[in-house]
Amino acid sequence: MTSKYIRSLALLLCAAMLGCLLAACGGSASSPASSAAPASDSASASGSSTLPSSTTEANTGELNPGNFDENSVFSITGTENAFAPCLGWGPGVSGCSLKSVIAAASLLHWAEDARMSSRSPEAIQDAFYSWYDGLTDNQQEGFAEAWPLIKDAALDLLSDKDSMTGRIADAGLDADTLPGCTLKNWQALQTVLDGIVPETNGEA
């Protein structure tokens, strides 16, 4: 009896150990599968860190100067102040020669500061009309009469400033700051205004 009991116990122990071994083998078989997934995730994470294209694309917007619309009327500022010296006088008015120099100097500085040569004609036209449309009929007519004098004074400042030394001094302007504009920026403004300012029969 004792011998049979021992054999039975031994068989039970063997069965138990076999069961443990099978369980251990099953666990180890599933373990590589589960560890393989993180390895794949790690590989993809590593791959994304070496290709930062999405980061580069996100930063380009901040570096893109195209976000600023140079042809927008809102980017051409100072129109009213620039044209202020162009009002209240005209051909035949006392001091019109000096006033034309003052007005020309104001528009030359504006044309340079606003980089008119880089603007579209439509943007310059819109900026002009934002001021011109707010004038009375008499003011619009007065500016149209004064424009040829202003234009001539501006061209003289650009091409032959030395011949205007006396007029510049009498107008109270600083000759060292004149003309203060490149020819291309002035021509961009003049070309637009020549096309939209009504012609008059005013005489100097």
Side-chain angles (χ1 to χ4, degrees):
M1 289 251 337
T2 304
S3 175
K4 289 181 180 181
Y5 177 77
I6 292 174
R7 277 200 299 270
S8 298
L9 183 60
L11 288 173
L12 289 174
L13 288 175
C14 287
M17 290 178 63
L18 181 60
C20 291
L21 287 174
L22 289 174
C25 289
S28 62
S30 61
S31 178
S34 61
S35 62
S40 175
D41 294 342
S42 176
S44 63
S46 175
S48 64
S49 65
T50 57
L51 297 174
S53 58
S54 60
T55 303
T56 302
E57 292 171 1
N59 291 336
T60 54
E62 300 176 2
L63 303 176
N64 184 4
N67 289 341
F68 172 74
D69 183 4
E70 291 191 342
N71 288 328
S72 168
V73 63
F74 300 109
S75 67
I76 302 179
T77 59
T79 308
E80 184 174 354
N81 289 336
F83 281 94
C86 301
L87 298 178
W89 60 276
V93 173
S94 176
C96 66
S97 178
L98 298 181
K99 291 177 181 179
S100 67
V101 177
I102 295 172
S106 179
L107 292 185
L108 282 166
H109 285 301
W110 183 58
E112 185 69 15
D113 290 343
R115 298 172 293 169
M116 291 299 180
S117 62
S118 69
R119 314 287 184 168
S120 69
E122 292 78 14
I124 299 174
Q125 180 175 312
D126 288 347
F128 170 74
Y129 277 128
S130 71
W131 166 77
Y132 185 80
D133 287 346
L135 303 179
T136 65
D137 290 345
N138 286 338
Q139 286 176 323
Q140 290 182 352
E141 183 178 355
F143 173 74
E145 293 176 349
W147 171 240
L149 299 180
I150 297 170
K151 177 173 57 177
D152 289 345
L155 292 173
D156 287 342
L157 287 171
L158 283 164
S159 62
D160 191 16
K161 187 179 76 171
D162 292 342
S163 67
M164 301 182 65
T165 302
R167 292 172 64 187
I168 292 172
D170 291 344
L173 300 174
D174 183 358
D176 292 336
T177 65
L178 297 173
C181 182
T182 60
L183 180 60
K184 66 178 183 178
N185 279 329
W186 170 253
Q187 287 179 332
L189 175 60
Q190 179 190 323
T191 299
V192 171
L193 295 190
D194 280 345
I196 59 179
V197 176
E199 294 184 2
T200 67
N201 295 321
E203 297 181 357

